[in-house]
Amino acid sequence: MNRREFIGRAAAAGGALLLAENGESRPKAPSDQINLGIIGPGSRGQQLMRTFLRVPGVRFAGLCDVYEPRFAAAREITKENTPIYHDYRELLAARDLDAVIVSTPLSLHSQHEIAVLESGRHVYGEKSLALTVEECYSIVDAVKRTGKHFQVGLQYHYAPWYRETLRRIQVGKIGRVTQVYAYWHRNNSWRRPVPNGSDKKLERLINWRLYKEYSGGLVAELGSHHINFANEVFGSMPEMVVGSGGIDFWKDGRETQDNVQVTYRYPSGQTLVFSAITTNQLDGAQVRVYGTDGSAVLTESDAIFYYEPKRPQSAVAQQTIVEHGIVTGASYRSEMPYRGPGESVSVPKDKQGSPDYVACASFIDSIRRNQRPEADEQVALAAGMAVALGNQAIDQGKRIVFSEHSRQT
Amino acid sequence: MKSPDELFVQSRNAMGTVFTIYLYAHDGELAGVLFESAFEEIERLEEALSNYRATSELSRINRLAAEQAVTTDPEVFALLQTSLAYSRRSAGAFDVTVGPLMQAWGFFRGEGRYPTDAELERARESVGSEKIYLDRATRTVRFAAPGVELDLGAIGKGYAVDRAVKVLREAGVKAALVDAGSSTLYAMNAPPGKSAWTVHVPRPGDRSQTVSTVALRNESLSTSGSYEQFFQLDGRRYCHVMDPRDGVPVQGVLQATLIAPDGTTTDAFSNAMFVMGPEAGSKLLATVSGARGLWILGEPESQRLVQWQWQDCAGVGDGDAQTLVTKREKGKEQIAR
């Protein structure tokens, strides 16, 4: 995808937001009901279920998992006896499905999503796109082959304050953007409780994020959101990545790193630095966008702009020097970080909404109007490839060049 | 041999207060995982039910429901159904639409002022649970008029306590105490070697003095109080608890404490008890399975205790509490939710 396509898509997203919040996507007739299935109603899947059920005319017609307790939890959300399936192929054999949410462990995305697409259903696929670059491309190919809609679960792509921030950046409010520094800093083990007496297999299943068989670790589960935003700011996917990371604190049998640092270079000489740690949460989750005239700092719930000191100095100050002379002394220039206030991004009332809600409502809207989702398979590919190659850079300890792994879709 | 479980505690800010969870776990690492999942559930509910966050589901409903029927998810819809049912059962003493009245009296800014007749009239037009239409078939919420807004502040914390307890139970925790800002708490089982968790009900205005000590096990206790926020006007003392029925703050009640099987009920009905007072309030409690109530009336300097079924579970320190004899209404008892 080129820069113009990227920017064109970003501009269109504003319209989709408005539709979603005003409830335009409500069904016109009972036959407009959208029946959803879900493969993998774990913690994230359950949150998606609740959110999709806030969209008018949406119903869950099938729940699929391999872990029995998930069915009761998911039925508690639908508050009905939604049919359950232990095998995704049985779910896909059901007749009344329009689309399927895939919120399974990352390594299973391509298998599940391609099967859903081949069965003639649209996909809402959790991020990241897939574990390997090859799997990413195989999903993109399947979307093209089947002509079905695919939306990736990068919900911040739809966050109203992210859209507004991107718009301001694109009209030049902070000058030329050269760097994005993004953090996802936590202070916990990233583990989930496992029922007493569970065997190792169940522990690996519940804590799949910690095992390489299933997971792309912190870069995939947390970094993908920030990488996607940097892709939007820079108008393309990266061209090169280096990385480091390790299991340095939580030596509890996990296989994915408990801290990662990846640096991506973009084609026009811009840089994204992403850091995720699990031992300190001072910085939380935030994206800092640095431009020559200012900065934008985005969090899970807001965005703030800061502006650089104006250049050049005013004529009045110059005149003072001419009349009174200049004082000499030791060389000094303050490089203290700025600690003053910024300018909050306010979102108009009719464009407010949670990232999850706007993302889910937009997906249903795409199905009803038969329009491409904003965060489609190309957006997913750009972020998903960066995740997969970022992990390769960490694991192999070498610089990875994107062009050696990419191909036309 | 496995070493015995240890007690762990963690507090986090949520829902405008501090939630504290005490739990027994084998080691600190496991305790950390358990805290994380319980607080994640509380945080999830704050993100759904907050009316301070523009991104919450409740804020979305408040923004849109005066103009259109708003579809919401079954969980939020069920909590709204419960809220309206509790309004009916308490004859309007518990009311999730009370926000505009609180606003008119200046309570949201932490102060207090007497509203003008026009302000009061305008606020009253937006208050009353009958102004909320719920359609079960479409799972939609609609407001009867502009200006109506939902505020789940008097039930949401209790619901969050219940859900956090459920998460801990499902994770295999044997004993825990989940506390939302000390006003609503739930005691799961009992600490090792004990038969219950101990809860002290303080004297209004002096938390160092106890008026009653309760042994709590697999039940919730909530306290509604007004003694920390008062304002004086024309020689009268007003508290910050609103009686939604007449639009005037409650007078003459200092504290109401309720024990019942779940936090959603104790949170909402301790508030209703406060507004209704002992006579009407005990009739409400008679419809709640397993409920016991304790009121403290009067003024901070001359307090009077009234209890209903309270002596079943706890002693009252003063020994001179008035005991109400309202009978449980046989056959009219209802399961809390």
Side-chain angles (χ1 to χ4, degrees):
Chain A
M1 187 182 328
N2 64 31
R3 183 181 170 83
R4 202 168 45 191
E5 283 170 335
F6 241 88
I7 292 172
R9 308 159 83 85
L17 292 178
L18 194 63
L19 292 174
E21 182 66 4
N22 283 350
E24 288 285 324
S25 66
R26 62 186 56 247
K28 307 282 183 290
S31 57
D32 280 352
Q33 178 171 289
I34 303 289
N35 289 319
L36 296 180
I38 181 167
I39 310 175
S43 59
R44 178 63 191 154
Q46 289 173 26
Q47 187 56 21
L48 285 172
M49 289 179 68
R50 289 186 196 96
T51 312
F52 272 113
L53 287 168
R54 293 168 186 164
V55 183
V58 171
R59 189 169 182 194
F60 276 85
L63 312 165
C64 176
D65 210 304
V66 293
Y67 181 45
E68 194 68 31
R70 297 284 187 237
F71 295 125
R75 279 179 165 176
E76 197 186 316
I77 290 167
T78 63
K79 298 216 189 296
E80 52 186 7
N81 270 341
T82 313
I84 60 170
Y85 303 92
H86 294 83
D87 185 318
Y88 70 93
R89 286 160 293 205
E90 292 168 21
L91 169 77
L92 298 181
R95 302 175 86 184
D96 55 351
L97 288 180
D98 297 299
V100 175
I101 301 164
V102 177
S103 45
T104 50
L106 182 60
S107 65
L108 302 171
H109 283 184
S110 63
Q111 181 189 349
H112 292 152
E113 289 169 4
I114 293 168
V116 174
L117 291 162
E118 299 282 7
S119 80
R121 278 63 171 251
H122 309 291
V123 169
Y124 186 98
E126 250 315 305
K127 55 83 199 151
S128 182
L129 182 55
L131 188 60
T132 68
V133 171
E134 207 31 61
E135 288 168 358
C136 287
Y137 276 114
S138 65
I139 295 170
V140 173
D141 290 343
V143 174
K144 193 170 182 190
R145 195 165 60 240
T146 58
K148 292 290 147 188
H149 296 310
F150 181 94
Q151 183 173 321
V152 67
L154 289 166
Q155 69 272 17
Y156 289 101
H157 195 93
Y158 294 85
W161 58 98
Y162 269 67
R163 307 316 308 170
E164 176 59 17
T165 299
L166 191 62
R167 186 191 69 76
R168 291 186 191 191
I169 290 171
Q170 285 170 345
V171 299
K173 291 276 185 207
I174 57 172
R176 189 174 149 205
V177 177
T178 55
Q179 322 277 331
V180 173
Y181 277 52
Y183 304 94
W184 210 304
H185 287 188
R186 293 180 162 174
N187 193 350
N188 64 56
S189 72
W190 212 25
R191 278 193 174 277
R192 294 186 180 276
V194 175
N196 291 334
S198 301
D199 59 12
K200 224 172 186 160
K201 197 175 153 205
L202 181 57
E203 194 279 322
R204 287 175 74 90
L205 204 58
I206 290 175
N207 280 307
W208 64 266
R209 289 172 183 82
L210 305 179
Y211 299 103
K212 290 208 158 178
E213 176 188 357
Y214 302 113
S215 168
L218 296 165
V219 180
E221 295 306 311
L222 306 179
S224 52
H225 292 294
H226 292 348
I227 292 168
N228 178 57
F229 189 64
N231 287 352
E232 288 196 278
V233 168
F234 296 142
S236 88
M237 72 163 84
E239 60 177 10
M240 191 277 286
V241 59
V242 293
S244 70
I247 303 168
D248 300 314
F249 184 85
W250 298 103
K251 299 181 183 195
D252 55 3
R254 72 183 58 199
E255 295 162 6
T256 58
Q257 291 91 0
D258 61 19
N259 71 103
V260 294
Q261 304 79 31
V262 274
T263 301
Y264 294 92
R265 295 277 305 168
Y266 284 76
S268 307
Q270 303 119 326
T271 303
L272 161 67
V273 177
F274 172 70
S275 162
I277 64 175
T278 50
T279 48
N280 179 290
Q281 60 185 22
L282 176 68
D283 289 310
Q286 57 170 310
V287 183
R288 304 174 75 87
V289 183
Y290 300 123
T292 51
D293 294 342
S295 314
V297 178
L298 299 102
T299 73
E300 292 175 334
S301 58
D302 61 9
I304 300 175
F305 275 75
Y306 301 89
Y307 297 100
E308 293 286 292
K310 289 267 185 283
R311 304 171 286 191
Q313 299 270 317
S314 75
V316 176
Q318 304 291 347
Q319 201 53 41
T320 309
I321 285 168
V322 171
E323 286 169 12
H324 300 283
I326 191 164
V327 181
T328 182
S331 160
Y332 172 75
R333 188 169 169 220
S334 170
E335 300 253 10
M336 279 293 288
Y338 178 70
R339 288 184 178 142
E343 177 190 295
S344 286
V345 170
S346 64
V347 178
K349 200 178 161 191
D350 65 351
K351 288 191 179 178
Q352 288 174 359
S354 81
D356 272 342
Y357 179 78
V358 183
C360 292
S362 298
F363 178 63
I364 298 301
D365 205 41
S366 291
I367 297 174
R368 290 209 169 107
R369 293 162 182 266
N370 194 23
Q371 280 178 357
R372 249 179 186 286
E374 276 304 315
D376 64 5
E377 74 284 358
Q378 294 295 337
V379 169
L381 177 66
M385 253 187 92
V387 165
L389 296 179
N391 274 327
Q392 270 190 36
I394 295 170
D395 292 343
Q396 297 172 13
K398 66 177 193 189
R399 154 197 170 107
I400 304 284
V401 177
F402 278 56
S403 61
E404 291 168 11
H405 298 267
S406 60
R407 63 168 166 85
Q408 288 296 315
T409 55
Chain B
M1 204 183 86
K2 209 178 154 185
S3 54
D5 283 355
E6 274 180 75
L7 180 63
F8 293 90
V9 59
Q10 198 174 100
S11 295
R12 290 195 198 174
N13 293 331
M15 297 186 160
T17 185
V18 181
F19 274 70
T20 303
I21 298 175
Y22 304 82
L23 60 82
Y24 281 85
H26 182 252
D27 56 61
E29 206 164 303
L30 173 61
V33 170
L34 295 166
F35 285 131
E36 204 55 49
S37 44
F39 281 116
E40 187 178 281
E41 180 70 354
I42 292 165
E43 165 61 24
R44 176 184 77 75
L45 288 164
E46 177 163 24
E47 186 50 46
L49 307 178
S50 163
N51 57 351
Y52 293 97
R53 294 188 189 185
T55 51
S56 77
E57 178 62 358
L58 198 75
S59 293
R60 190 177 71 89
I61 293 169
N62 279 336
R63 270 197 301 274
L64 298 173
E67 294 152 26
Q68 59 182 248
V70 180
T71 306
T72 192
D73 68 272
E75 181 184 42
V76 170
F77 191 80
L79 191 59
L80 293 178
Q81 283 180 309
T82 302
S83 299
L84 296 198
Y86 283 11
S87 280
R88 283 192 296 277
R89 285 173 63 184
S90 65
F94 170 79
D95 192 331
V96 289
T97 67
V98 77
L101 278 170
M102 305 281 282
Q103 187 99 42
W105 284 82
F107 291 174
F108 286 142
R109 294 187 298 276
E111 50 196 43
R113 61 186 190 87
Y114 206 97
T116 65
D117 288 349
E119 284 171 332
L120 209 51
E121 193 47 44
R122 206 164 43 244
R124 282 201 187 109
E125 282 169 13
S126 307
V127 173
S129 60
E130 74 284 355
K131 297 187 174 70
I132 309 291
Y133 306 141
L134 298 182
D135 183 337
R136 206 163 54 176
T138 54
R139 223 185 318 108
T140 53
V141 190
R142 179 97 212 234
F143 298 161
V148 174
E149 62 180 67
L150 294 164
D151 179 348
L152 299 181
I155 190 168
K157 284 191 283 291
Y159 181 69
V161 165
D162 289 341
R163 292 292 309 191
V165 167
K166 184 169 188 286
V167 166
L168 294 175
R169 269 194 210 283
E170 286 175 357
V173 172
K174 301 228 172 51
L177 188 75
V178 179
D179 168 11
S182 86
S183 67
T184 294
L185 37 91
Y186 187 95
M188 184 214 289
N189 298 331
K194 304 257 185 192
S195 59
W197 292 85
T198 302
V199 181
H200 301 287
V201 180
R203 173 172 293 284
D206 184 359
R207 287 179 65 83
S208 67
Q209 285 191 53
T210 295
V211 294
S212 178
T213 298
V214 180
L216 203 66
R217 184 190 172 103
N218 294 325
E219 279 185 309
S220 171
L221 178 149
S222 284
T223 294
S224 283
S226 75
Y227 40 90
E228 273 154 9
Q229 285 189 308
F230 274 114
F231 71 101
Q232 301 270 359
L233 214 76
D234 299 337
R236 298 178 83 172
R237 187 201 298 265
Y238 292 97
C239 73
H240 276 201
V241 179
M242 185 64 59
D243 186 340
R245 299 168 301 182
D246 58 9
V248 176
V250 176
Q251 293 177 68
V253 182
L254 295 170
Q255 184 170 288
T257 301
L258 170 63
I259 297 169
D262 66 275
T264 310
T265 304
T266 60
D267 192 8
F269 280 167
S270 65
N271 196 270
M273 278 172 67
F274 190 99
V275 171
M276 296 166 95
E279 289 298 332
S282 61
K283 292 190 178 72
L284 169 68
L285 297 197
T287 69
V288 179
S289 238
R292 283 97 75 196
L294 178 67
W295 284 263
I296 302 179
L297 309 176
E299 299 295 325
E301 52 282 358
S302 60
Q303 303 184 4
R304 189 160 61 85
L305 271 62
V306 181
Q307 59 185 335
W308 186 83
Q309 304 284 349
W310 192 261
Q311 62 280 18
D312 291 358
C313 66
V316 173
D318 282 70
D320 58 355
Q322 178 195 345
T323 301
L324 282 183
V325 289
T326 315
K327 288 263 164 49
R328 281 194 191 279
E329 294 179 51
K330 285 265 156 53
K332 278 196 176 175
E333 284 193 8
Q334 298 179 24
I335 304 293
R337 267 183 304 131

